[in-house]
Amino acid sequence: MIDRSLPGRETSYGNAGVLSDSSVYVFNNPSLIRALPVLLLNRSNGLRYNPLFVMKRIGWIIRFIFHCRPSHVRHAAKSLRALLLLSLDQHKKWIKDAGVGHLLRQGGGWLKLFRSKKGFAKYGAEMNMMRDVGVNFTVFEREKIRQIEPGLSSIYYKGVLMDETCSVSSPVDLTDAYVGMFVAAGGVIERAVVNGLDRDDDGWQVKCETGGPRRSNDVVLAAGAWSAEIAGWLGYNIPMAWERGYHLHFDPGKEPLLSRPILDVEGGFSVAPMRDGLRVTSGVELNDRDAPPNFEQITASAELAGEAIALDRQVEDTPWMGRRPTLVDSLPMIGPAPRHDGLWFNFGHHHLGLSMAPGSALLLGSLINGDLTPIDPLPFRISRFLV
Ligand SMILES: Cc1cc2nc3c(=O)[nH]c(=O)nc-3n(C[C@H](O)[C@H](O)[C@H](O)COP(=O)(O)OP(=O)(O)OC[C@H]3O[C@@H](n4cnc5c(N)ncnc54)[C@H](O)[C@@H]3O)c2cc1C
């Protein structure tokens, strides 16, 4: 494994730690079309955009919106559910094998919260889809929300608890534990910046900024938001954009800690209890991958979160930023690259890369080895697009 940094220090470092079985309703669904007039005002905390980026990537935006049709939303829900279930099962096994059971929060679920009757009513379509694909969830009234999460104020009208969703208290500790297992099994981690990929009669050459080319018969490209650029070196045109997101930690003070991650759907932010404090994460910022960070959205998220739960001292001075790699149909690419033998893609996991990582690895491993695949690989095939 070649990484320019320690593994798990980019987007995988700062997520909300949710190991989801329930996130089956893709963001590009019919309600997005109805919400467009409001979203275009660029004032929603859940979604902000840089107009210049949107103009530059208008092709990506149109293709993303094109996938809002009900038939695709149903197809995506079934495909994501299969990958999420496979992944959650494998996470539990690996967490046990790695001896880091203390990181796993199992049985508490993931609580989505609604401030208004109107906001909850809009969530009906997602609940129907979750029911259709077998997700278990429970709806809670205002009082019951406070019973299960006494640290929350009474601003929430309804809550939907994803009963079987799990979470971890430190995504980076989980990555380190998995890296430990990889090394114990004979894997080698090398820290280097990859700057070229070439194939000759002897197989692949992975070129790096330092040292000679590393040779291999097979190469897996799994570089998150940087994958499209790297695939582009070989002529692939990957329909990817970056949904940037931020986090900040707060000391919970004397209030009772949250016992599970929460998502304020109308507020457009999450709060997750983490090793380093209460982690507030922001929604989506559509912007150039490498544009300077803009902390407005996370600042607003922290203010809104303060209405829901007591946040004491801010732990770090500067918010963290990550880049969710998102393809136009909100499904990852897992499988063989169409025009190059021995090149494999595994990226595009948007809001669910922590949740879907183990299943993606199992699926890709079986494809590389020519084994029976654990789930249907077709929804994730690269050739669904003309790349
Ligand atoms: C605010 C926020 C909250 C989120 N919450 C959740 C959540 O609760 N649950 C969930 O499942 N998902 C969540 N996500 C999404 C999840 O974090 C991502 O889908 C996931 O981290 C993507 O993982 P990745 O390995 O594809 O990319 P990354 O984690 O970004 O890793 C890419 C790697 O490629 C390396 N790399 C890039 N270019 C090169 C190069 N040229 N040479 C060598 N190495 C290179 C980088 O160093 C890096 O290690 C969240 C995301 C954000 C931003």
Side-chain angles (χ1 to χ4, degrees):
M1 184 194 289
I2 305 175
D3 198 308
R4 64 180 176 206
S5 179
L6 286 175
R9 264 62 181 179
E10 281 288 354
T11 312
S12 300
Y13 177 83
N15 57 52
V18 174
L19 306 182
S20 178
D21 69 313
S22 53
S23 308
V24 296
Y25 199 59
V26 290
F27 186 62
N28 37 355
N29 65 67
S31 71
L32 177 64
I33 313 255
R34 288 191 291 277
L36 274 182
V38 173
L39 293 176
L40 282 173
L41 297 174
N42 213 3
R43 291 206 200 110
S44 150
N45 190 48
L47 173 70
R48 294 282 172 94
Y49 64 91
N50 174 350
L52 287 178
F53 174 76
V54 168
M55 279 187 319
K56 231 173 23 185
R57 300 299 300 254
I58 195 69
W60 183 91
I61 304 277
I62 290 170
R63 288 176 75 184
F64 187 78
I65 292 175
F66 173 75
H67 283 90
C68 290
R69 55 190 195 279
S71 58
H72 175 70
V73 176
R74 248 191 325 276
H75 162 75
K78 282 188 194 147
S79 313
L80 289 173
R81 174 78 172 155
L83 188 54
L84 288 167
L85 281 181
L86 177 67
S87 298
L88 186 54
D89 194 41
Q90 193 62 43
H91 263 309
K92 287 177 188 166
K93 288 183 191 145
W94 279 342
I95 286 173
K96 190 161 174 251
D97 292 351
V100 287
H102 60 282
L103 297 178
L104 179 66
R105 224 176 278 116
Q106 199 174 346
W110 179 31
L111 187 58
K112 294 196 180 178
L113 294 161
F114 299 84
R115 294 182 180 218
S116 71
K117 201 170 176 177
K118 198 169 152 204
F120 181 63
K122 285 189 193 155
Y123 193 63
E126 179 158 349
M127 288 199 287
N128 288 339
M129 185 61 78
M130 288 198 296
R131 260 185 221 108
D132 286 355
V133 298
V135 174
N136 287 324
F137 59 90
T138 312
V139 177
F140 287 114
E141 308 294 325
R142 199 184 297 273
E143 264 321 299
K144 184 75 188 178
I145 296 171
R146 298 250 302 144
Q147 279 171 25
I148 60 167
E149 283 298 355
L152 288 178
S153 67
S154 53
I155 57 170
Y156 292 112
Y157 163 72
K158 291 264 187 203
V160 180
L161 182 71
M162 307 300 154
D163 297 326
E164 278 147 36
T165 293
C166 299
S167 56
V168 290
S169 55
S170 173
V172 73
D173 286 350
L174 183 67
T175 310
D176 286 348
Y178 286 174
V179 166
M181 289 209 298
F182 173 73
V183 172
V188 176
I189 310 268
E190 199 190 334
R191 202 162 167 179
V193 179
V194 175
N195 60 5
L197 276 177
D198 256 334
R199 196 182 154 78
D200 59 22
D201 292 343
D202 293 329
W204 285 97
Q205 287 181 42
V206 180
K207 296 178 181 162
C208 298
E209 276 182 8
T210 45
R214 285 62 160 178
R215 289 197 158 274
S216 174
N217 291 333
D218 292 280
V219 170
V220 176
L221 173 54
W226 293 268
S227 305
E229 181 184 330
I230 296 175
W233 300 340
L234 295 165
Y236 292 99
N237 182 12
I238 306 293
M240 180 186 281
W242 307 281
E243 298 185 60
R244 305 194 328 171
Y246 299 81
H247 86 213
L248 259 183
H249 289 99
F250 291 86
D251 200 321
K254 292 190 195 72
E255 293 295 318
L257 257 182
L258 275 181
S259 46
R260 55 179 66 75
I262 59 160
L263 169 64
D264 181 321
V265 175
E266 290 160 283
F269 65 87
S270 289
V271 186
M274 292 280 174
R275 185 197 60 189
D276 302 325
L278 287 175
R279 179 178 287 186
V280 178
T281 63
S282 70
V284 170
E285 181 202 10
L286 283 179
N287 202 350
D288 278 312
R289 189 190 65 195
D290 301 329
N294 176 346
F295 299 134
E296 269 177 33
Q297 209 176 355
I298 187 66
T299 307
S301 297
E303 272 167 29
L304 284 167
E307 296 170 5
I309 188 161
L311 300 174
D312 205 0
R313 188 184 59 87
Q314 184 175 316
V315 173
E316 61 276 88
D317 292 335
T318 311
W320 167 91
M321 184 183 82
R323 299 147 177 98
R324 306 172 182 96
T326 303
L327 301 167
V328 285
D329 62 351
S330 295
L331 293 172
M333 281 185 171
I334 306 167
R339 296 191 295 278
H340 292 85
D341 281 348
L343 178 63
W344 307 85
F345 289 168
N346 187 5
F347 52 75
H349 295 74
H350 56 93
H351 293 239
L352 296 170
L354 173 67
S355 303
M356 299 198 290
S360 303
L362 292 180
L363 176 59
L364 190 66
S366 65
L367 289 168
I368 293 175
N369 293 327
D371 294 340
L372 196 66
T373 56
I375 56 171
D376 181 5
L378 287 182
F380 311 108
R381 72 195 183 285
I382 288 78
S383 60
R384 66 188 191 269
F385 300 116
L386 276 176
V387 292

